[in-house]
Amino acid sequence: MAARGHVQDPNDRRLRPIYDYLDNGNNKMAIQQADKLLKKHKDLHCAKVLKAIGLQRTGKQDEAFALAQEVTTLEPTDDNSLQALTILYREMHRPELVTKLYEAAVKKVPLSEEYHSHLFMAYARVGEYKKMQQAGMALYKIVPKNPYYFWSVMSLVMQAISAKDEKLAQTMFLPLAERMVEKMVKEEKIEAEAEVQLYYMILERLGKCEEALEVIRGPLGEKLTSELQSRERKCMALYRRLERWPECNALAQKLLLKNPDDWQFYPSYFDSLFQLMDQSWSPPEEGEHCSEGSVHHTVAEVVRFVEERIKVEDGKDSRSLRGPYLARLELMHRLRERGYPEENLPGEPLALMVEFFRKFGDKPCCITDLKIYLHLLSPEQHVQFINQLSEVVPLGEQGEEGFAFPEDTKSLQRHLCVCQLSRALGLHHSLDVSGKLRLIGELKAHYRHGLKFGSSALKTELQFSDTYCLMAAHVYIDLWTDTGDVDMVWQSLGLLEEGLSHSPSNAQFKLLLLLLYCRLGSFEPVVDLYSSLDAKHIQHDTIGFLLTRYAESLGQFAAASQSCNFSLRFFHSNQKDTSEYIIQAYKYGAFEKIPEFIALRNRLNQSLHFAQVRTERMLLDLFLEADIILSLEESVKAMSLSSEEDDIPWDSLRDNRDLTVFTNWDPKQRQLTDEHRTRSLEEESVWLRIRSLTLRLLASLTASGHTPSQQNSEISNENGVGDKSSLLHSLLSQLNQTLQTAARIAEKQTQYPLLGPPSTRLASAMSIGSCQCQAAALQLSVHLQELESAGLDESSELQTQICNVFKSLVVQLQEMLNKCKGDLLEMKESKLKTQPSLLENLVFFVETVSIVMWTASYCAKILRPLKTSLQKKKKKKKDANAALPLVVCGFQELTGSLQDLLTQAVEHIREQESGILAQKLSSLSMEGISQEEASFTKAAMDKVQGSYLRSLQEVGDLLKKRAETIKNLKI
């Protein structure tokens, strides 16, 4: 609530306490104060609205809305009421109501600049671009200020951007916007930089690059001053688009002479050179090469230019700039790509890279600079290159352990860079087991030695030697994945925990710990790790998958809800926040940002992660609550879940995951490939489709209309059962097709790099038979509908079929439970081994049992009235001894078997808990590591043990609740 200005109106004074209560979050007192005020002043509309805000914030949405509508129908024009209603409707996520509010206000006070501008912003919130254009022009007519005129122009541009018909945008909206700006240019009314930017944007979208170039290079271009080199960059972009390579080359040259470290112009300089060479361009015999000056059109000229820049840097007393040295490597890379003769290259890659290291090896960016050019070295040169770099690193005397350590942070940075380059060249990976263990020992010694340089560092600062620790953890992981030795992963966890104790803000330690704990099936430590990362805004979309992928599958249902909420809160606020960004962009004339904000909103609305989290959260709520706290029907209703509607934009789903979030020095052959990315996205989409269809089919179980059985199909169609039946068939057919695709994907058994995308649950779900069993249970609803139509008298064949499905479901569930048997955590040959897949299987069993039980509950709803009507018929015939119908007996057997299965599962969990508690981790001998390191490793083991117990407890509790609900499943 904005702070109020100085008191001008007695009403302001009366309302002040209510504002204060709302500002301080004391909503109940705000409501009471508003009630008091309304007793004395019944017509004080603003007090009613403030009361409605209090009600909204205390969860009484319906009352709040009714109060707000009372005031809205009176069409208030006082500023207090309008602003309060705006706040209320925004909190209700009903921005469209704000537009109606200000439309009415503008009609009553047609000359108010303030109300007109509020109306414009209200339209901006809901994206009504045509009305925005009209509101902007109406505002300009009342108050002829430039910004209002250009609001209208920008709204035209937005109509063009959002138009589904590109032809309409190019022939109507954009030309009209261009004419409107040209009118202002002719009248010399252009005042601000934002107006020139908008003109440039319109011309660029129309493809009028020549005209745009004239604007940028003319007097209007002089207004572009807010960004450094804004004019030059725009000119460069237009030259490239127009393929005017001579101008592009000459301009890049001029800009690089001014600032040889400005990397953005080197690619344009080299691109233009090769384009000119391909076109066999030659300069004119007389006069300037082009409007921008002289052009370098041969390799020799470009090499000379780069070498001259390097000479200038070499001759400086101050520190050299990296740009020219990197440009030489970039030029060499491009010349090699084009098959240029080796003898004509500007030097030898190895010597040039060693020289670069001599100059810049003490900068942390040296590794990222050189890493992208390592392919210029031949495999035979790798060891020689590292040896030459090592000679440049100043180290002190060898200590007792046989290692020489750097004396200061600059030497440490050089040594670190050599270690990172060794790993990037694959030299670490080619070592045998003993070589890798020696390397780990050396890296750990360097890490601990380097801690003295950061002894006075703040908690928020990283230690200088953190990278040694991270790299040692990576080598441990190599040993774990190559040899399967579980000790290696425990020691990696211990080392990372030790690193985190010295450097609590190191995000890479946290991310790698998070990944390893999840791979070991331990989710409890992960929640705190992710929270401490303090992921901001878009990161919930880009790295949220690391958390949500494992949350539910490891049986930590409470934490899973929390992790879904992390992400969902961000996605839901995105819609509201983006509207505010757009409004601010209009206010401050940052027009070029508006399409970017719209693109961001679309990107997030179409996010694969958003669709996954939404679907998983609803399924999770059903597994935890349906038929336990609420009935399935009430749960589905509370979620506003509909089997008819599919709200996932399948055709435009975007994979926004950041798959390179982990620091990684692996050589190219071990890194994530484009094929990995494609397969991962395909796998994620198919798994999402299975889950989404399962959710919609569960919704259809509640909506399938349990009308009394009708023999006449026409009557049943009138009741809408026919439609629902066809929808059910369609959903089941889609699920079966998707399961076939899933089986093909699971057969491929794609292995992703450990630091790449995690595999989905799809392969495990298919191998344990969870998907197939769930599909069979959901398919049963079709047979039950047929039975409902046919009745119990004349449907013996159908009843036999249904009974067979009942038996088959029990067999499948028993097989699933058998695949959960085994020790989750066990001590073998003094090694602590884990089998996290057993935990995942157990969660699949819980999910599948829940779905089978919901189907059984649906079955009971259909059988009850059929059985009752049959008994009435028997009474009339006085045939009391007739046997129970086959399907009723089958149903009773099913419920009995489900009861037995759940008893078995609960017993299995109890045994597992006892087994895990019996493990005496303190008795484990930790050979080859120090006592301090052993304490961190044991702490990590304790976390995993505690997490398993928590998971088993949550799964066990849920199964016990399900066992209780079976008792009520009677016909």
Side-chain angles (χ1 to χ4, degrees), residues 531-542:
S531 299
S532 70
L533 276 171
D534 199 16
K536 293 279 192 292
H537 203 260
I538 196 109
Q539 288 175 315
H540 287 300
D541 188 25
T542 56

Side-chain angles (χ1 to χ4, degrees), residues 818-830:
N818 293 342
K819 288 177 184 172
C820 303
K821 303 281 171 71
D823 289 322
L824 195 52
L825 190 71
E826 60 175 339
M827 204 94 76
K828 250 188 190 172
E829 301 152 12
S830 76

Side-chain angles (χ1 to χ4, degrees), residues 66-80:
L67 258 182
Q69 288 302 90
E70 262 182 56
V71 179
T72 305
T73 48
L74 298 170
E75 298 184 348
T77 55
D78 65 295
D79 195 30
N80 284 339

Side-chain angles (χ1 to χ4, degrees), residues 228-460:
L228 277 174
Q229 298 176 325
S230 175
R231 283 177 90 177
E232 290 85 348
R233 276 191 288 111
K234 283 183 167 57
C235 280
M236 185 72 82
L238 290 167
Y239 285 143
R240 288 181 76 103
R241 211 165 147 188
L242 289 164
E243 297 187 359
R244 284 168 59 172
W245 300 114
E247 283 86 349
C248 189
N249 183 286
L251 179 58
Q253 237 186 94
K254 279 198 295 195
L255 293 165
L256 289 170
L257 279 169
K258 266 191 207 172
N259 181 3
D261 207 35
D262 197 338
W263 185 258
Q264 63 179 325
F265 298 119
Y266 280 110
S268 298
Y269 181 49
F270 296 146
D271 289 343
S272 58
L273 161 73
F274 296 124
Q275 291 287 350
L276 293 169
M277 285 169 66
D278 292 344
Q279 293 169 10
S280 309
W281 183 88
S282 58
E285 289 176 16
E286 289 178 9
E288 283 283 335
H289 288 186
C290 70
S291 59
E292 290 286 355
S294 67
V295 177
H296 292 164
H297 64 288
T298 64
V299 173
E301 284 176 304
V302 170
V303 169
R304 190 163 59 249
F305 177 78
V306 173
E307 294 288 1
E308 280 168 8
R309 302 287 67 71
I310 289 172
K311 260 187 198 163
V312 172
E313 294 305 315
D314 285 344
K316 274 165 55 175
D317 294 334
S318 58
R319 180 131 198 187
S320 304
L321 300 171
R322 288 154 47 230
Y325 298 90
L326 278 174
R328 182 165 57 182
L329 289 168
E330 176 66 19
L331 180 59
M332 185 173 289
H333 154 66
R334 291 187 180 217
L335 290 171
R336 272 229 184 140
E337 264 190 339
R338 291 173 66 88
Y340 204 67
E342 288 286 323
E343 60 274 11
N344 295 348
L345 291 177
E348 209 277 313
L350 189 140
L352 296 182
M353 287 162 86
V354 171
E355 184 191 346
F356 186 88
F357 180 79
R358 280 178 199 278
K359 281 193 169 293
F360 308 108
D362 56 355
K363 287 188 168 192
C365 57
C366 184
I367 173 67
T368 43
D369 287 344
L370 287 180
K371 200 174 163 189
I372 46 179
Y373 298 113
L374 288 177
H375 64 277
L376 296 174
L377 300 173
S378 64
E380 302 78 52
Q381 291 179 309
H382 289 178
V383 177
Q384 183 193 351
F385 174 58
I386 295 300
N387 289 341
Q388 286 193 25
L389 294 189
S390 301
E391 289 166 15
V392 183
V393 180
L395 296 176
E397 293 296 313
Q398 278 196 6
E400 292 170 20
E401 298 174 22
F403 304 128
F405 298 116
E407 299 291 329
D408 55 35
T409 51
K410 288 194 171 182
S411 309
L412 181 143
Q413 196 56 59
R414 282 185 183 279
H415 185 262
L416 248 183
C417 187
V418 176
C419 293
Q420 291 173 88
L421 287 167
S422 303
R423 187 161 178 80
L425 288 167
L427 301 182
H428 288 182
H429 304 82
S430 58
L431 294 170
D432 59 9
V433 173
S434 59
K436 281 179 180 162
L437 288 170
R438 260 197 315 278
L439 172 65
I440 288 169
E442 183 180 351
L443 290 170
K444 288 199 293 197
H446 273 276
Y447 166 62
R448 289 178 185 130
H449 173 267
L451 289 174
K452 70 178 186 185
F453 298 121
S455 55
S456 59
L458 300 172
K459 278 190 174 180
T460 49

Side-chain angles (χ1 to χ4, degrees), residues 2-5 11-21 23:
R4 318 300 294 161
N11 282 341
D12 274 9
R13 195 182 66 251
R14 290 177 188 131
L15 295 167
R16 159 63 61 195
I18 311 177
Y19 282 116
D20 290 341
Y21 284 131
D23 282 345

